[in-house]
Each structure stands twice: as structure tokens, then as C-alpha cells.
Amino acid sequence: MTWTFNDGLKKGEKIKVSFKVTVNNLPSNTTSKTIKNSATVNDTKTPEVTHNVLKSDLRLNKRATPVSYSLVNEGEKITYYIDVENKGTGDYKESIVIKDVIPDGTTYVNNSAKVESGPSTNGSLNGSTLTWTFSNGLAKNEKITVSFEVTVNTLPAGVSYKKITNVASVNDIKTPQVIHEVKKSEIKINKTSNPASGSNVSEDETITYFIEVNNSGSTSFNDKIIIKDTIP
């Protein structure tokens, strides 16, 4: 482009010209590009202006139900969600691969991996890693959400607290982490009777036995409680 000012420039005057361009879509195998521009005034170069073009703006998020930093119980289910949203100005045309490792201290709920929103695909479990692959990328302003469930394991004997940490990756970029805390319930048992233990009883007298089970911990006990007693 050329502008010509035949009358020159008087003392104190200023000339300012402008033009607009539209950034082209990057080729499918290109993830970034630097656009450089400089002009000349009477064959003298101006300073160079540069802009970096990114393919798209993928926003990643990791969340859960119950929400992160909640206290969860042994045997309780946690649902994890991974969100991927294209907030850029153009389509993301490469494959999107979401991976998530089943966190330590939990057990995967069979067949719970699914796509909440976005193109349909099947999540696959290999060892302890779940993978979803979206081969067609992600259109501008489109969002993908996948999810899966785990069950919180019972804490080992002698262990009263555990932190469950989970983080996913999208095309090898890590999401924020989600954390839950597990505290062991405290089940206390007692046996009493009426008349009280150690009392003398008569023939044909009735004895009432009582079995007490008390959870004095800070969390619920979600496993079965089975009480057995043999008639003396």
C-alpha cells in the first residue's frame, strides 16, 4: 500500500495513516505463527510490529461432585468432570485427547466414563488410565465435557486420614487439580444387659441383652453393619 503526500509536512504537523488486515487460519499442521510488519517513509524503515498467532484458545477445567476440598466418606462416590472449551477465534482442527488416571485411594465404577456434552466417543480404560479421543477437534465456541465415577476405598487399618488428589491432561496439558479428604469413621461397640452383668438371676427370670454400635467419628460409616449374637 502506498500513500503519497505531495505537499510535504509543515513544522508541527503530523501524518497518521492506517489499514486493517484479517489474520488467516493457520495450516492444520501449524500451531503458531509470528506476523511481522514494518513500513518505509522515503525508504527509511519504521520499527517492526509483531503479533503471535495461536491456533485457538482451549480452556481446560477439572471439577467434581462433591466439590473440591470436600470431606468424603469411605464408600462414597465421587464424580469427576473434565471441561474443554474453545474460546479462540477459530476452530481447533487437531485431535483432542483427554486422559485421567484413577486416583489412588479410589476404585473406578465400571462403565461410568461418558461424554456429558460434545461429539460422541467412547472412553477407554487401560490399566488405571481413562482416555477419550475427539478426532475432529473442537469448533469455535464449542465445549466438551467428559465424566467418570469412583468409589472411595475403605482406609487401611491404622490409617485415619487420606487426601485424594486428581488431575487430568488434555493434549498433555494438565488441568487444575481436584482434592478430597477422607477421614475414617470410628465405630465403637458395647454389650450390656438387664439385669447388669455379674448379677445373680433366678430360674425363669428374663435377661435382656443390649448391643450398642456407635459411630463417634467425624464421617459416616457407609459399609454394612452386621450384628450377630449366639443365644447363650
Side-chain angles (χ1 to χ4, degrees):
M1 298 189 68
T2 303
W3 293 265
T4 301
F5 298 89
N6 293 320
D7 295 330
L9 196 62
K10 294 180 181 178
K11 178 181 177 181
E13 284 187 337
K14 181 179 180 180
I15 294 172
K16 186 175 184 178
V17 299
S18 67
F19 66 100
K20 294 180 179 181
V21 299
T22 300
V23 179
N24 295 337
N25 290 332
L26 295 177
S28 60
N29 60 346
T30 303
T31 58
S32 65
K33 178 181 175 66
T34 300
I35 298 174
K36 300 178 181 180
N37 178 257
S38 65
T40 62
V41 178
N42 290 353
D43 296 326
T44 300
K45 280 190 174 183
T46 66
E48 186 175 70
V49 173
T50 64
H51 293 89
N52 294 319
V53 186
L54 300 179
K55 189 162 209 52
S56 62
D57 185 6
L58 292 184
R59 305 287 177 90
L60 316 180
N61 189 39
K62 183 71 185 281
R63 52 193 173 90
T65 303
V67 297
S68 186
Y69 289 100
S70 295
L71 185 67
V72 293
N73 302 318
E74 297 167 307
E76 186 174 349
K77 283 186 172 61
I78 302 172
T79 303
Y80 291 107
Y81 300 90
I82 304 104
D83 303 310
V84 185
E85 188 172 7
N86 184 359
K87 299 293 286 184
T89 58
D91 297 344
Y92 188 89
K93 297 180 180 179
E94 298 177 12
S95 293
I96 293 175
V97 180
I98 301 172
K99 293 185 177 183
D100 206 326
V101 177
I102 307 302
D104 181 51
T106 69
T107 299
Y108 173 66
V109 176
N110 287 335
N111 301 316
S112 64
K114 60 182 178 179
V115 178
E116 300 282 346
S117 65
S120 178
T121 189
N122 293 322
S124 63
L125 180 64
N126 183 9
S128 60
T129 301
L130 279 166
T131 303
W132 295 263
T133 301
F134 298 87
S135 300
N136 295 324
L138 196 59
K140 175 184 175 182
N141 295 325
E142 190 177 13
K143 182 179 180 180
I144 292 170
T145 298
V146 300
S147 68
F148 67 98
E149 289 183 345
V150 299
T151 302
V152 179
N153 295 342
T154 300
L155 294 176
V159 177
S160 60
Y161 172 84
K162 181 176 178 62
K163 183 182 288 186
I164 298 173
T165 302
N166 179 252
V167 61
S169 68
V170 179
N171 291 359
D172 297 325
I173 299 173
K174 289 185 177 180
T175 66
Q177 67 178 1
V178 171
I179 295 174
H180 293 90
E181 295 178 312
V182 190
K183 290 185 178 179
K184 195 169 190 67
S185 53
E186 296 180 25
I187 300 297
K188 296 183 178 180
I189 59 176
N190 192 30
K191 181 74 178 280
T192 59
S193 64
N194 184 23
S197 179
S199 300
N200 295 323
V201 293
S202 303
E203 296 170 308
D204 296 325
E205 185 175 350
T206 299
I207 302 173
T208 304
Y209 292 103
F210 302 93
I211 302 101
E212 297 175 351
V213 183
N214 178 39
N215 182 359
S216 60
S218 58
T219 64
S220 299
F221 183 85
N222 293 323
D223 290 339
K224 287 183 180 179
I225 294 176
I226 300 174
I227 300 173
K228 294 182 178 181
D229 205 326
T230 302
I231 305 302

